[in-house]
Each structure stands twice: as structure tokens, then as C-alpha cells.
Amino acid sequence: MATLPPGISSAEFETALGKFEEAVGEEWVFKSDEDVALYRDAYSPERDEPTERLASAAVAPVTVEQVQQIVRIANEHRIPLYPISTGKNLGYGGSAPILSGSVVVDLKRMNRILSVDEGRCSCVVEPGVSYFDLYDHIQQRGLKVWVDCPDPGWGSVVGNALDHGVGYTYGQYRDHFGSHCGMEVVLPNGEVMRTGMAALANDNQWADYKYGFGPYVAGLFGQANFGIVTKMGFWLLPEPEAYRRGMVYVPKRRDLIPLVDHVNYLENLGLIGQPGFRSPLGASRAREPELRALLEKPGGPTDEELDRFAESKGIPSWGVELQFYGPEKTIAGSWDYAKERIAASIPGATFEDGVAYRFPLTEAQKAEVQRVHRLVDVGVPNMSIFSIAGGRTEQNPDHADGGQFYFAPMIPRTGEAVLEAGRVLAEAYREAGLPYNDHFALPACWHYRAFIMITSLPVSRLDPEVNRRSRAAFEHIARVAAEHGWGEYRSPPFGVDLVMGAYSFNDHALRRFCETLKDAVDPNGIIAAGRGGIWPRHIRESNA
Amino acid sequence: MATLPPGISSAEFETALGKFEEAVGEEWVFKSDEDVALYRDAYSPERDEPTERLASAAVAPVTVEQVQQIVRIANEHRIPLYPISTGKNLGYGGSAPILSGSVVVDLKRMNRILSVDEGRCSCVVEPGVSYFDLYDHIQQRGLKVWVDCPDPGWGSVVGNALDHGVGYTYGQYRDHFGSHCGMEVVLPNGEVMRTGMAALANDNQWADYKYGFGPYVAGLFGQANFGIVTKMGFWLLPEPEAYRRGMVYVPKRRDLIPLVDHVNYLENLGLIGQPGFRSPLGASRAREPELRALLEKPGGPTDEELDRFAESKGIPSWGVELQFYGPEKTIAGSWDYAKERIAASIPGATFEDGVAYRFPLTEAQKAEVQRVHRLVDVGVPNMSIFSIAGGRTEQNPDHADGGQFYFAPMIPRTGEAVLEAGRVLAEAYREAGLPYNDHFALPACWHYRAFIMITSLPVSRLDPEVNRRSRAAFEHIARVAAEHGWGEYRSPPFGVDLVMGAYSFNDHALRRFCETLKDAVDPNGIIAAGRGGIWPRHIRESNA
């Protein structure tokens, strides 16, 4: 074994592993180099460097009782644990720990779907249940419910929610942590706790009401290290009668500002799912040398110059794809309304009807969905994003040997903020020596009420220089973003302190409050050290 | 001063009050009997008894810095504090503390509306801002946004959310805590902390994204005692184009089961606001002696007997009022769909169009709203509920001198659960010697995904026997409910331990976890002892 938990002797580690084996069975403790290597972060930007975050071993329990035993053994021997659900969070650490030497607690075997209730539109699942598993279960039982899926669909429903992951349908369901309801968690002392109505002696309202009575503690278990979540309830969407898409295009650069306001209005009223902003003008760059020249001139083009070019070619500056879910009559009415509202306010706005379906979809329709937009838009998990993104990124088109990690700051949900962030991030990327979609950068709209300017940085398995440059770029761009008041909602493992550092109000009062809680709940600091930027006392002190 | 903080000498208390006066100004520390009496719970079921929960004094800061000073002084002298926003939470304790002798920290003077953003549909407010204040501010600025209001409208927007209060429009907005985004809180050590994006150095995304990065701690400040919340962001609704109501009636008793399923479907898809279940058959009791006879016969009527009676008179067993908000075309489509869907599944279902408006409302339309349904349905705060409920309750129609408190268990959102809960609660009420709406009890649908069987128990300012009976009834009925797995989401002060006691999974692991957090964050136990059923260590130990 190359990696040991910090401060633990090889002999003591062997003793602890022996106890893990007693708890879960010898075949479910992984300690050979080959086995442990499977837990490396496939997209680590620290690959093969001394800082690469490596597990010392892994243990795969199948019951809550086994998780409790593991936690008790870890306390006894001060073994740091790093729980993962399925470990598919590529770009954000995958199945590797944040603290090297941690023992990964791999929950993949805990994959029971405990309930799916069609009438109440909810489910309760274990961490090893993937979106594929849950979808298949629902299809097999013929239930008329949907799971809002992230992309790709092989990840854990529980793990994605705990990482504050996001999806594609209605805003309230896209917030996967917010649409969870009730959880079971093994605390750092080995006790099992349930939150909300799941804490009642009779758990038949597990997924009905999240707060229960008194303090609502579930937030402490997302992006955090206060326990190991072993079950979660979720609110599902009912299968709608129908779906339709509609495209809106606006001519001028600054039309983005009212366009965003209109889209916000539609989303805040629950009339649309995730909107998809586009720039036809930006997309035309490849075939328009005149536009490229304009973009490359010193100081860049003015808005008026871009507008003149766009008008001369009849290319809209911006567009947005809207998604409507519900009864056919309802969504036809909503699309009509969107057209009327936007046409009345943005001169030259144009509209285009998109695809429309009734559910359930035929196989031919599913193929059309996949061709025209995305299966996740209609609640079908899949892996097609890998064929799009793969290891290639705009910043690193040649490194198919690699992958990427994300720098994705949240910005205000306004057109002004998008234009400003595009400018600022382009400058920061230039300073970092990496390309960026200048002038036409658009936000991802996964989050319900905020925009994310998602950008990715390349990693390589072969060229450490690529990784060093990406890490340095991340640090530079994160600092620039923080200066503008933009924070991130997630972080690759090497960036947790930097990202948490931006949430600095009153000398990092939030982080210090979390540290107080952490020391109280996990005095030995055994659970997921570093996750969410929170470290146990002994590591904070040794780093001070 | 009749009441002192427990274990504090009169001299030390005087010293602390002197320091409070230095902090906030003499006129904002209330210590005379007359002044302190204003903080009594107007609806206390312990009125004039030795257990009545009484403040020792009150202090009204106007800035966050003053709140910090108060907290620091309280720590120094071990003075228990009980923060209130506006203290209008009648039926759940009002402005009185849970622990007698606490100094009420009255935040009514902190009443700034820090922002209302129309495009992003959000606001940031202080605890002294009432629903009336916020509504008036929005009207004066002519902004096209709504606040989902509780009934009545004089309470605090912050206070209601922190109490897990609820409203009347769309499910996601009815959850007032869930639709908050970002808070500022004075911790028990006197430090100020902000959560989510509000913790960024630049707070221009305060109300855009609630989780920020890392552990999400905001849940610890609702129904709890981990700090004093001094600002909160909220998501508002955009003003919809139009509103319409539609009534659905179903003939048979067990039609309630599919009716609830259909209503759940509509709500889960975001097509309707709060539904209002009704029983025309139950309402006909007063004028139908034959029905009364049926209900009073030994063993009660069978479903078939009730159905025969209902059919003979042409009275529907159940009904539901649906509320649609949005573009006219959208909501017309949704109402059509609701009719088609329900008609296809429940034989004999009938439908009735209700009122319809476009916004903004004329004064004549507002009068119609108030006559036909409720102003809160269209986001207008008001006080009309007092003319309906006042101090009278079904259980105590004669005690206009009194008030009520609530016993309101959450039950699953199914028709079966409603019928069962009606039967079980009627039996429990009978055992407690109080009347109950047997056979036709229906849930309140404030919560998005769960039903509440809201019942109220009478209190009297004149007759302690009424209060004793109500307290005993609460204890009996809460025990019966807990046996059926039904917990409450809120509690009158005297019931917090009983209510929290039902959340008993694994020997009250949830409560014990909260106690661990409480001891770490508030070692002197000065903030809101007992709130949410969580007591500081010194009180737990002295009660043990």
C-alpha cells in the first residue's frame, strides 16, 4: 500500500482494515494497489504529482449497520473516511477523497429502492441507486412519474443531491437537494439519525414534509462532512401529458437584457423548464471572416458594430430555447403568451415552434429527442454527454487523453451580469493563457434563480504541464471572480479552500461556524475531511 | 418585576438591564410590569397559572450591532434571551418566551426593506417588516411582484418563515422557509454570519442561490435557537396575468381518494395553487335532520349509508376549489384539462367555473375576492381571518373572551389518510371530552406535499378550567397521533417537548444531535431556550 492515512502506522492501519473485514466481509475491503487505483480521480488535475489525492483503501458496506461499524472502527483508530455514493462526480473529484490516505466508504452496494409512490409522487432510495436504476424501476412498474436527471445518468441520485447537483426540468425539481425530503444518516459517532418526518416512529410520511419539527439539520449533510447519508427521500415529477419546445431570437446585443427578464418571468411563474440561451451570431463566427476580424480588432468591437454586422447578415444576436411541460392546452397557451409578451417588448424578436410530444414517448420519438435536444429534458437518463464533451474542452481540444474540471461561478440572473461576466472572465482567461468564448459567453441555467458561467479547464493523464497550467488558471480566475462578488457552488478537490474562501463575510464567519459544528459532531475528524472546505480541528491546527 | 431569569439575582439582572440600556437607549428597554405584560401570550392556555411563560423584560434593538451587544451582555450575565420578530404568532406563543424569565429581544424596530428586485423577483428584509409593510412598499413602487402571504398579514415576513409558516399560492412559494434565500444571523457568541451567497464579500447575489458552497446551515435558524436572524432574502412571485377558480364536486364518500390523487397531480406539476377541499354533505348537516340522525346512530353510518343519503338529496360528498395563476390562455387550458382528467375517472363528478380576474385588480374586484374567497389567494395581506376565527372555535364557541391554540398533525397526502385521520382524531377528541368534525374532517393544504389535519383547542382568559381541559386534550391527542405516525410541524410553547418527542427515531437521535450542536454553538444557553424542543445543557441537566 503506497498511501497511509496521515499519522497512522502501517501496523495500526492493518489492524483497522482487519476490523473492517470483520464488519463487511473480506471481499468488500479493497486494499491492493490495483483495487485502490480504481478510486483515483479519473480527471484529477494533480495526476501523478505528490499532491494527488489518493485513497489508502476502500470498504463497501451493504447495510446501515455495517456503515455504523465502519464509523466506530474509524473512530477507534482515527482512520479518516471518505464516503462516496457511486463516485461518478467527474470534474469534481470522482471517487477520490479530498484528504490523501482516507479510506473510501463506497456505498454502491447499498442500492435498494425502498419506495416509489405514484400518487404522492415521491421515492426513498439508498446511495447506490443510480438515475438509471431508478428510471428502470419506474418504467418496469409502469409508474407515471419522472426523475429530474443530471447529465450523465450513471451517478447516484443521493450523491448528486448531496453535491447540490442540478437537472433540466422545472426549477423546483432541478434543485436536487431542495427536492429531497427526509434523510437517514450515520453520524460520526456511529449513531443513525433521521431528519424531518423520517424521524417519526412510523416512517410512512418520510418523503411528505421535509422540516419535521424544530431545527432543520439536513443541510449539514450536503457538500459536507457531518455524517454518511444512507437513505434519502425525493419528490418526483408527475409525467406530464405533453412537452413542447419553442425558440425565441432577438436581433441586438443588448436585447439580451429584456430577454433574460422575460425568461425569468416565465420561469418564476413555473411556465417553463430549464431555458437554454444561445448566440446564433457567436455560432456564425466559424463561417464569417468579417465577424472574426471584428472580434479580433484591438479593443474589440462595440455593441453597435456587432449589431450592424448581425443586421447586415440577418443573424440574431441571441436566442433562447424554452421548454414547456404539462397538459397540451396549457403549454400551447404558455408558448402563445411567451411569444406575445416578448414580441410586444423587443422589436424584431422572432419565434420558431420546436418539437412537441405527448407522453409516453415512442422509441422513434426518443430518437428524435436525442437528435434535436437531450433525453434528460424529458426525464430519461443517458450517457450522451460523453459523446459531446468527453475529454475535450474548448481550452484543450487536443487532449483527448484527459478530461476537465470546472470553474463555474454563479452570477446574478440578469442580462447585464452575463455581458459583464463574459467580459471579465474572458480577460481573466486571457491572463491565464487559455482561450474563452469572448463576446458570446452565455450562462447555464441549471439553478433555478441564478446563472452559472460554466467553464471547464483541461486535464491530461500524460502532460503534467497541462494540469499545472489549469490549476494556476483556476486559482487566478477564482480570485478575479471573487473580486466581482461571484462565488462557486461546487469545487474540484484541490480548490475547496479557495472556493470556500470567497464566502468571506465577517472574517469567514460561515466557515468558522461550520468548524465549530464539525468539532462538536466529529471530534476525531474522521468523516470526509476537507469536503465543503471544512477541515477537522487537528488538520486545521497542523496547517495553521 | 415579578419574573426574573432563572438563577439570576435581582441585582445582577439590574446590572444587565443597565447594560442593555447603554446599548440600545433607555427607552428601548422595557421592564415595568405594564410594559412587560404586553409580551404575554394573548392566547396562552396557561394564563395566570404558575406555569405561564412570562418575560422578565424586553429590549428592542434597531441595528445589528445592537443585537450583537445584547447577545454579548447576555452571555456575560447568563441572561436568557427570546428573540421575536413582530410576535404575532398567535396560537403558537405570540410574543412570550418559552422559558419564563427570558428577556424578549423585540426586533420590530428593525424594519428596513433592503431591496426588492422586480427582474430577479426577490427581496431582502429585516425581521420587523410585516407582510403589510412589504406589500405596501411593492405597491408604492408599482412593482409587478407578489409576496405569498399567511393569514393574518400583520406578522413578520422573517418571523413567519423562521416558524416554517405557510401561505396560499403555488406550493414552492407557500413554503416560506423554503422560499427564503440567504440570511444574516447574530450567533450566540455575538458574531454576525451570513449564509449562502450572502456570505460573499459582495452581497449582490444575496437572494439568488441559497446554498452557496459547503454545508448549508440556514435550517438551523428556523424553529430553533442557534442565533438571532437579522436579515433574510426571499423569492417573490411575479404578478401573473390572470387568476381563475374552479370547483370540482364528487358524489361518493370514497371518491375522495381519486380526487386527492388528481389534485396532487395538478399541484405537483405546478398547475394550481393551494387547493381547498370541502364537504358539501358535511356542510348540509345543519339543515338535514335525517343526516344528523345517521351520524349519531350507534357505531356511526357506513360509507354506503352516507352515499345513499347524499345521492337521495343530490348533495356531493366532497368538493375541491382549485386556484389557477398565470397567463389567461394557460390557466384556461389547465382548468379544461383538470375537468377532462377528473371527469374521465370519477363517475358523476361535476364542475363549476369560479371567479376570474386579470391583474392588477380594481377595488371592486378586491371586494369580490374578499366576499367570494380570500385576499391572501391573490397575494394581498389582510386581517379578515379574525372576523372568521377570532377567539371562537368549534370546540369552544362561547369563549369569545379567549383564543385558541392548534393541534395540527401532518398526515400523508392521500384520501385514505384523510378518512383514517378523521376517524382517529374524532375518537381522540371524544375521549378528551371535546367535539370534532367527525366524518367530514378535511385537511388544510398549506404545505406543498403533506396534509395537515388542523384542529384548534380553546383558551380562556377567565376560566382556567377551559385551559386545563385544552392542555390535557392536546397531550392526549398528540399521543394518539404519534401512535399513528403523525407528527406536528409547529407547537404551542407548552407542547414543544411532547411534539419533539414524537420525532423519536433511534431514541430521539435527532433531538440529541441538535443538543450537541446547541451546546457547541451556545455554550451558555442564552438563545431561545426550549424553542423547537431544544434546551441548553444546564436546563436539560436540571430537569433530568
Side-chain angles (χ1 to χ4, degrees), chain B residues 362-382:
Chain B
T362 63
E363 288 307 310
Q365 284 174 319
K366 281 188 195 168
E368 183 185 34
V369 171
Q370 197 151 16
R371 201 176 61 247
V372 178
H373 50 118
R374 290 167 305 214
L375 281 166
V376 284
D377 290 336
V378 292
V380 182
N382 65 94

Side-chain angles (χ1 to χ4, degrees), chain B residues 488-539:
Chain B
E488 288 184 280
Y489 84 109
R490 234 160 164 177
S491 172
F494 86 92
V496 290
D497 295 327
L498 190 61
V499 168
M500 190 51 154
Y503 292 83
S504 62
F505 177 79
N506 188 21
D507 189 22
H508 306 274
L510 177 61
R511 195 193 65 216
R512 291 184 289 113
F513 178 75
C514 292
E515 288 167 351
T516 300
L517 300 180
K518 175 72 175 169
D519 295 343
V521 168
D522 184 10
N524 297 323
I526 57 157
I527 306 285
R531 197 163 141 72
I534 307 304
W535 297 93
R537 185 195 301 267
H538 69 276
I539 297 182

Side-chain angles (χ1 to χ4, degrees), chain B residues 43-360:
Chain B
Y43 288 1
S44 171
E46 300 172 303
R47 193 167 188 95
D48 294 324
E49 295 190 52
T51 55
E52 185 183 351
R53 286 126 209 278
L54 297 169
S56 54
V59 52
V62 73
T63 64
V64 176
E65 292 71 24
Q66 290 183 357
V67 176
Q68 293 181 269
Q69 283 175 278
I70 291 165
V71 167
R72 290 188 178 122
I73 296 161
N75 266 301
E76 195 183 333
H77 297 279
R78 303 289 193 274
I79 307 294
L81 301 176
Y82 196 81
I84 63 169
S85 299
T86 57
K88 303 300 191 196
N89 193 8
L90 294 177
Y92 286 118
S95 48
I98 294 178
L99 175 69
S100 267
S102 300
V103 172
V104 170
V105 181
D106 184 344
L107 303 173
K108 65 185 167 196
R109 297 172 67 212
M110 298 179 68
N111 60 359
R112 288 183 303 159
I113 295 167
L114 298 158
S115 72
V116 179
D117 187 314
E118 189 179 45
R120 285 144 88 188
C121 233
S122 63
C123 68
V124 180
V125 297
E126 290 186 332
V129 174
S130 72
Y131 286 92
F132 285 128
D133 296 335
L134 184 53
Y135 177 81
D136 290 345
H137 172 98
I138 289 166
Q139 297 309 307
Q140 278 157 24
R141 287 181 55 196
L143 304 177
K144 300 287 187 198
V145 293
W146 285 15
V147 189
D148 183 280
C149 303
D151 226 349
W154 62 351
S156 158
V157 178
V158 167
N160 187 273
L162 291 177
D163 239 23
H164 297 169
V166 280
Y168 290 85
T169 67
Y170 281 130
Q172 56 175 313
Y173 295 103
R174 292 208 305 275
D175 173 358
H176 293 170
F177 189 81
S179 58
H180 106 268
C181 187
M183 60 168 68
E184 178 186 86
V185 56
V186 174
L187 296 174
N189 65 3
E191 278 206 292
V192 189
M193 179 180 83
R194 290 182 178 171
T195 69
M197 305 300 271
L200 290 168
N202 173 336
D203 66 7
N204 73 358
Q205 292 182 75
W206 185 303
D208 290 351
Y209 178 65
K210 60 176 76 166
Y211 304 126
F213 181 72
Y216 179 58
V217 301
L220 296 179
F221 303 98
Q223 283 194 0
N225 47 25
F226 290 92
I228 300 180
V229 176
T230 47
K231 293 182 184 74
M232 275 175 97
F234 289 94
W235 290 343
L236 305 174
L237 289 85
E239 180 181 270
E241 186 185 48
Y243 173 87
R244 67 160 59 235
R245 289 173 83 84
M247 272 71 79
V248 181
Y249 300 105
V250 296
K252 289 179 191 292
R253 189 161 175 81
R254 296 193 67 83
D255 290 339
L256 183 63
I257 295 164
L259 183 64
V260 166
D261 283 340
H262 289 301
V263 171
N264 287 352
Y265 179 88
L266 299 172
E267 241 219 306
N268 293 340
L269 261 183
L271 301 176
I272 57 168
Q274 186 188 243
F277 286 97
R278 308 280 180 261
S279 173
L281 185 62
S284 77
R285 208 170 3 186
R287 56 175 196 279
E288 297 285 0
E290 192 188 336
L291 176 59
R292 283 203 304 278
L294 204 54
L295 295 172
E296 281 157 19
K297 77 172 208 178
T302 63
D303 289 352
E304 291 67 30
E305 286 170 323
L306 286 172
D307 284 350
R308 270 199 299 277
F309 177 81
E311 194 187 356
S312 73
K313 299 283 181 175
I315 305 173
S317 284
W318 309 105
V320 65
E321 296 188 58
L322 304 177
Q323 305 189 88
F324 302 87
Y325 302 83
E328 271 190 343
K329 286 181 185 174
T330 301
I331 64 180
S334 295
W335 174 223
D336 275 357
Y337 176 76
K339 287 188 276 197
E340 287 161 18
R341 183 179 171 100
I342 296 171
S345 129
I346 305 180
T350 58
F351 306 92
E352 197 179 298
D353 290 348
V355 292
Y357 316 106
R358 280 180 78 108
F359 297 102

